[in-house]
Amino acid sequence: PEWSSQFIKYRVNQTAEITDDKIVLLTMVITEGYVDRTSVGFTNTQDLLHAQFEKLLTVVYGPVRVSRSGMLSRVSSTEIAKNLRSLMPGKTFNESILERLLKSIQVTAKILRTIADTEGSMIVSIRKAPRNYTIESRVVLASTNRGFSGQISSLLTTLGIFSRSSVDGVIINRKDDIERFIRIVGFSPGIRVVRKRAGVSTWYGKEKYILSKLALRVYSEQVKARMSGARGC
């Protein structure tokens, strides 16, 4: 019976404490990764996120070998795959992890930043108004998984941030909520805009972190303009 155990590459302690790093790793797998019977992978175009994925795997499971091929980073291990799969039914956080997140503002903010880095967008749109220009801003945390979108909304509510869910994910529209999201959660420096809409993107290649700072600057200038009796900025 013990014959097959000698072929296990990475042994996992199923009763080990679930650390913050493990929850972050789980978040990366839920947002842009996969788990099958024999492996765990993460798909993205940004090297910083691949480096983070590899580092988290080694912190949580020890010196594992992570292979990289183009946009895919992958570790082959039935034990690691089984362990992670048990913590994310339907690619959502299991009840114990969600309960833990809802009790900790610090960990919740950390997890939401991971979601923002992998599947988040800072939208800053310049629009022509009748007499000048105006700015429309919103934060989108993309997800087509209704269950996971509901969990994202619950985590945002814990931080006092109002959001709404759509078929595309979770959207933060109100200016006060966007400001609160940027100040408490935000985006990691170095993570860039990599998607275009209909082949066009004003901010393609720019850092999401810089765009969030731009939004705060615009809000600040709008307040100054209103105080001086002007409209817009």
Side-chain angles (χ1 to χ4, degrees):
E2 67 276 8
W3 173 258
S4 62
S5 65
Q6 65 181 305
F7 300 107
I8 296 175
K9 290 198 297 184
Y10 310 118
R11 299 185 182 278
V12 175
N13 184 354
Q14 302 287 348
T15 61
E17 178 188 0
I18 298 177
T19 62
D20 294 350
D21 286 329
K22 193 167 189 176
I23 300 177
V24 174
L25 173 62
L26 194 65
T27 305
M28 296 189 78
V29 174
I30 290 174
T31 54
E32 292 202 317
Y34 77 88
V35 177
D36 59 24
R37 192 179 63 83
T38 61
S39 65
V40 179
F42 175 75
T43 303
N44 198 277
T45 60
Q46 305 199 55
D47 293 336
L48 280 176
L49 292 175
H50 282 279
Q52 182 183 356
F53 178 72
E54 182 173 352
K55 181 179 178 181
L56 287 168
L57 275 170
T58 55
V59 167
V60 174
Y61 294 110
V64 301
R65 182 177 179 275
V66 181
S67 60
R68 171 82 184 271
S69 176
M71 296 190 300
L72 174 65
S73 286
R74 177 179 178 274
V75 59
S76 176
S77 169
T78 56
E79 291 293 296
I80 293 177
K82 179 181 178 182
N83 182 242
L84 287 176
R85 193 165 55 246
S86 68
L87 301 174
M88 45 178 283
K91 290 199 84 173
T92 62
F93 297 124
N94 68 18
E95 291 185 9
S96 62
I97 291 178
L98 183 61
E99 184 179 345
R100 174 175 170 177
L101 292 176
L102 294 175
K103 291 180 179 178
S104 172
I105 291 177
Q106 290 76 17
V107 181
T108 291
K110 191 174 183 179
I111 295 307
L112 285 171
R113 173 171 281 205
T114 302
I115 297 172
D117 287 345
T118 55
E119 288 282 39
S121 301
M122 179 72 235
I123 310 297
V124 181
S125 300
I126 304 168
R127 305 290 185 188
K128 184 73 175 73
R131 296 184 180 179
N132 54 12
Y133 290 86
T134 186
I135 300 292
E136 294 181 3
S137 300
R138 65 186 181 275
V139 174
V140 180
L141 303 177
S143 175
T144 56
N145 183 332
R146 291 291 183 90
F148 190 57
S149 292
Q151 292 184 337
I152 293 174
S153 295
S154 297
L155 296 178
L156 289 169
T157 301
T158 300
L159 302 181
I161 300 170
F162 177 80
S163 63
R164 67 178 180 85
S165 295
S166 72
V167 294
D168 298 320
V170 178
I171 302 172
I172 305 170
N173 270 329
R174 296 194 315 185
K175 185 179 296 184
D176 291 345
D177 292 312
I178 293 173
E179 285 187 288
R180 187 169 178 80
F181 178 87
I182 293 171
R183 297 188 190 282
I184 297 177
V185 180
F187 299 87
S188 298
I191 306 300
R192 300 182 181 277
V193 178
V194 295
R195 292 185 176 91
K196 296 181 180 180
R197 187 172 182 177
V200 177
S201 174
T202 304
W203 309 114
Y204 182 77
K206 305 299 182 184
E207 291 189 29
K208 299 178 185 179
Y209 170 81
I210 298 299
L211 289 180
S212 67
K213 296 301 180 183
L214 172 62
L216 292 181
R217 172 66 185 273
V218 169
Y219 294 157
S220 174
E221 293 295 329
Q222 287 174 335
V223 170
K224 292 178 183 178
R226 283 193 295 270
M227 290 178 65
S228 66
R231 295 180 62 185
C233 67

